[in-house]
């Protein structure tokens, strides 16, 4: 039986003895009925009789990755033990449905209290006052912000105001089919040391040629190779969009391309010749040479095509480690991205959790967000091996968890150094930019057109947004 609190007891005494006590119309104080009520309540207090407990405040939390649902439910369970007065309800939606439903929720007033945020979306949410600033919360609770990988917190800040605490990070590596490598005589060491350039493709293109097999059994090195009748491709690139996180950005950056000149820049460099050269080379691998699955046949199925054995290699982000490990029926591994003229480069991205400005429970939502970005939750997520948490000790736990399962994911961590990484471009107008550039890249990858001309026109349209 729960003993009622002193505060509640005080309120009860005030109610029965004060409000119903002496008044101008009743100077002698409470009558017999009131005295009986006082005695009855007093007996309840002395006996320890409980009154109905207040229900816990429920807050909603959305995420899109099904692989992360279990570890974050475990975080919610741990959080609720520390905060029994707060209940967290998790909802997982697929990527496209997630953003559509979230946008609708902002308008209709049905958005979740807390949601997983992405760098490509959050500038728009800031501009539309849909994600809450948490700077004062951080200062009030003296939350340490130096525990995260360097640079991650900067991505979630604008003009000294913070809109999210880092929860994880990711890089891109080459996923390979070990059986196909062995049959082609390609070693993992050879793949890790590969180089490329936009003129002849370097040693990396030669590897792709050896891994590409036509319907007659000829590889891409053979003069008899038929690029129009390929049964095994050397590589499958993810779906092309305006930022190319795992599809093309690493090649372009290693050729000297920069999206912007810094965080919250007001112009892009999509018209750079380094990008046109890189994209032209990559496009020809599929459109002309038969070493890559043509983009018209990829759609958003690159990962499924790889695990189905249609290609020997695919560049993918670390967030898909569990997907490949759980779905591939062959031995696979992860290799470093090839070095370009400017060295090896990978986009360094990270997620954070945002609080909707329309929440009715800002304090409870903040407590949950604070826990999500804490070492306690990071260790739970890291132990699952699903992603690399933003706190280094937890990221090492994630690597250990993958190693226990037989997955060597060290390539992703070896690339996570300042000289090999570049940030996701954080600017206003991110949705419009992605739409404009996605259309431009699709035009290039699907047709034999002048990449430089198309990119120049698209870049002019992008910069006009500012």
């Amino acid at each position: 039986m729960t003993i009622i609190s002193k505060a509640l007891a005080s309120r009860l005494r005030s109610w029965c003895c004060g409000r119903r006590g002496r008044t101008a119309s009743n100077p002698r104080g409470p009558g017999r009925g009131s005295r009986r009520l006082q005695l009855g309540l007093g007996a309840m207090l002395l006996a320890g009789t409980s009154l109905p407990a207040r229900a816990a405040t429920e807050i909603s939390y959305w995420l899109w990755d099904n692989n992360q649902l279990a570890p974050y439910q475990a975080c919610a369970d741990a959080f609720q033990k520390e905060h029994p007065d707060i209940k967290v309800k998790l909802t997982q939606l697929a990527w496209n449905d997630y953003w559509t439903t979230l946008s609708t929720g902002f308008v209709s007033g049905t958005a979740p209290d807390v949601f997983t945020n992405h760098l490509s979306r959050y500038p728009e949410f800031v501009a539309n006052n849909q994600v809450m600033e948490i700077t004062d919360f951080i200062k009030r609770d003296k939350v340490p912000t130096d525990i995260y990988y360097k640079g991650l917190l900067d991505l979630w800040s604008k003009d000294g105001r913070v809109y999210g605490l880092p929860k994880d990070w990711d890089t891109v590596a080459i996923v390979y089919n070990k059986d196909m490598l062995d049959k082609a005589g390609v070693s993992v060491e050879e793949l890790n040391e590969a180089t490329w350039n936009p003129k002849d493709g370097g040693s990396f293109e030669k590897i792709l040629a050896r891994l590409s097999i036509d319907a007659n059994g000829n590889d891409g090195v053979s003069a008899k190779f038929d690029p129009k009748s390929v049964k095994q491709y050397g590589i499958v690139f993810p779906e092309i969009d305006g930022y190319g996180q795992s599809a093309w950005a690493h090649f372009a950056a290693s050729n000297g391309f920069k999206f912007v000149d810094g965080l919250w820049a007001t112009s892009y460099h999509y018209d750079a010749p380094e990008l046109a050269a890189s994209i032209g080379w990559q496009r020809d691998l599929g459109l002309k040479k038969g070493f890559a699955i043509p983009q018209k046949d990829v759609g958003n199925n690159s990962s499924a095509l790889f695990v189905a054995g249609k290609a020997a290699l695919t560049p993918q982000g670390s967030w898909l480690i569990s997907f490949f490990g759980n779905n591939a029926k062959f031995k696979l591994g992860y290799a470093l991205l090839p070095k370009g003229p400017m060295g090896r480069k990978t986009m360094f991205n990270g997620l954070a959790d945002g609080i909707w400005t329309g929440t009715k429970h800002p304090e409870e939502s903040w407590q949950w967000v604070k826990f999500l970005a804490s070492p306690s939750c990071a260790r739970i997520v890291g132990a699952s091996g699903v992603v690399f948490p933003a706190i280094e000790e937890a990221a090492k736990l994630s690597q250990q968890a993958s190693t226990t399962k037989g997955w060597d994911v060290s390539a992703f961590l070896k690339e996570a150094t300042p000289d090999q990484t570049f940030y996701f471009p954080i600017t206003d107008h991110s949705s419009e930019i992605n739409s404009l550039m996605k259309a431009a890249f699709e035009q290039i990858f699907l047709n034999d057109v002048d990449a430089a001309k198309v990119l120049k026109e698209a870049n002019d349209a992008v910069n006009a947004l500012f």
Side-chain angles (χ1 to χ4, degrees):
M1 182 175 293
T2 303
I3 306 298
I4 60 178
S5 69
K6 293 181 179 179
L8 179 57
S10 176
R11 289 200 300 272
L12 287 171
R13 292 189 186 98
S14 174
W15 179 77
C16 70
C17 305
R19 289 185 58 192
R20 298 215 174 182
R22 294 177 182 174
T23 65
S25 60
N26 186 15
R28 298 174 58 110
R32 285 178 144 184
S34 295
R35 290 188 183 277
R36 290 194 189 98
L37 179 59
Q38 290 178 44
L39 293 172
L41 289 172
M44 289 173 62
L45 292 171
L46 292 173
T49 303
S50 63
L51 295 178
R54 187 181 71 176
T57 299
E58 182 176 281
I59 58 173
S60 53
Y61 174 56
W62 287 9
L63 68 166
W64 63 75
D65 190 347
N66 183 58
N67 292 318
Q68 297 185 42
L69 185 58
Y72 277 106
Q73 181 60 63
C75 281
D77 294 341
F79 171 77
Q80 288 166 173
K81 287 182 180 179
E82 294 185 12
H83 301 270
D85 57 332
I86 305 175
K87 179 181 179 182
V88 182
K89 180 181 180 181
L90 275 66
T91 298
Q92 181 267 325
L93 299 169
W95 173 263
N96 290 328
D97 292 337
Y98 180 88
W99 297 111
T100 300
T101 309
L102 185 62
S103 296
T104 301
F106 286 150
V107 176
S108 64
T110 58
D113 299 289
V114 180
F115 59 96
T116 304
N117 208 347
H118 193 278
L119 289 172
S120 66
R121 309 280 179 153
Y122 112 91
E124 179 181 339
F125 298 156
V126 171
N128 294 330
N129 192 33
Q130 293 166 330
V131 60
M132 184 182 296
E133 179 201 343
I134 58 174
T135 316
D136 291 340
F137 279 130
I138 294 173
K139 292 179 179 178
R140 184 197 72 184
D141 293 355
K142 298 179 180 179
V143 177
T145 57
D146 58 351
I147 61 176
Y148 309 114
Y149 274 83
K150 185 178 179 180
L152 285 180
L153 185 65
D154 295 338
L155 299 177
W156 295 98
S157 306
K158 183 181 182 183
D159 299 329
R161 302 176 184 276
V162 183
Y163 295 89
L165 291 173
K167 62 187 294 179
D168 60 28
W169 60 268
D170 51 69
T171 54
V172 176
I174 297 291
V175 193
Y176 61 81
N177 183 318
K178 185 63 165 56
D179 296 337
M180 291 183 179
L181 258 62
D182 291 344
K183 289 180 181 179
V186 177
S187 69
V188 175
E189 292 73 21
E190 187 178 0
L191 189 57
N192 276 320
E193 296 173 1
T195 61
W196 87 277
N197 65 76
K199 293 181 179 180
D200 61 17
S203 62
F204 185 66
E205 183 171 327
K206 291 181 174 62
I207 290 174
L208 297 183
R210 291 159 61 187
L211 292 169
S212 301
I213 311 294
D214 69 13
N216 295 316
N218 302 306
D219 66 22
V221 179
S222 171
K224 297 181 180 180
F225 178 72
D226 183 0
K228 295 182 179 180
S229 180
V230 183
K231 68 175 183 180
Q232 175 186 303
Y233 290 90
I235 195 167
V236 55
F237 297 112
E239 181 182 14
I240 301 298
D241 65 13
Y243 296 111
Q245 180 176 359
S246 52
W248 58 262
H250 38 88
F251 288 113
S254 67
N255 193 42
F257 167 70
K258 291 196 309 180
F259 283 92
V260 291
D261 292 327
L263 296 177
W264 300 99
T266 56
S267 64
Y268 277 74
H269 306 307
Y270 284 115
D271 58 348
E274 294 84 0
L275 175 60
S278 173
I279 291 297
W281 166 79
Q282 194 173 345
R283 180 267 314 276
D284 290 348
L285 291 176
L287 200 62
K288 297 179 180 180
K289 298 178 181 179
F291 299 162
I293 298 181
Q295 270 296 307
K296 67 180 179 63
D297 299 325
V298 175
N300 62 355
N301 299 312
S302 62
S303 299
L305 289 169
F306 176 76
V307 298
K310 302 298 182 181
L313 309 175
T314 184
Q316 297 286 354
S318 53
W319 60 90
L320 286 174
I321 289 172
S322 292
F323 170 83
F324 289 118
N326 293 329
N327 289 279
K329 305 304 180 184
F330 49 82
K331 185 176 180 180
L332 60 78
Y334 302 93
L336 300 171
L337 290 167
K339 289 183 179 180
M342 303 302 292
R344 180 179 292 112
K345 302 293 181 181
T346 175
M347 187 177 285
F348 190 61
N349 188 27
L351 304 180
D353 292 301
I355 301 174
W356 175 38
T357 51
T359 179
K360 296 179 181 178
H361 311 292
E363 180 62 37
E364 291 85 353
S365 297
W366 158 245
Q367 293 300 327
W368 171 232
V369 165
K370 184 170 63 172
F371 185 83
L372 284 167
S374 71
S376 297
C377 181
R379 284 190 286 267
I380 293 173
V381 175
S384 72
V386 174
V387 292
F388 296 121
I391 299 173
E392 187 173 1
E393 63 165 309
K396 291 180 179 178
L397 288 176
S398 181
Q399 182 181 12
Q400 293 170 9
S402 292
T403 301
T404 301
K405 298 175 183 178
W407 310 336
D408 180 3
V409 298
S410 59
F412 294 106
L413 287 96
K414 289 178 181 178
E415 293 177 347
T417 61
D419 62 318
Q420 296 183 107
T421 55
F422 59 95
Y423 291 142
F424 192 102
I426 308 298
T427 70
D428 289 325
H429 308 295
S430 55
S431 293
E432 297 101 316
I433 291 168
N434 187 47
S435 296
L436 286 168
M437 295 312 304
K438 178 178 172 63
F441 284 118
E442 286 179 344
Q443 184 180 352
I444 294 170
F445 273 86
L446 298 178
N447 305 285
D448 186 12
V449 297
D450 185 345
K453 182 176 183 295
V454 173
L455 291 172
K456 173 64 169 64
E457 294 173 351
N459 191 66
D460 288 344
V462 165
N463 288 339
L465 295 172
F466 296 92

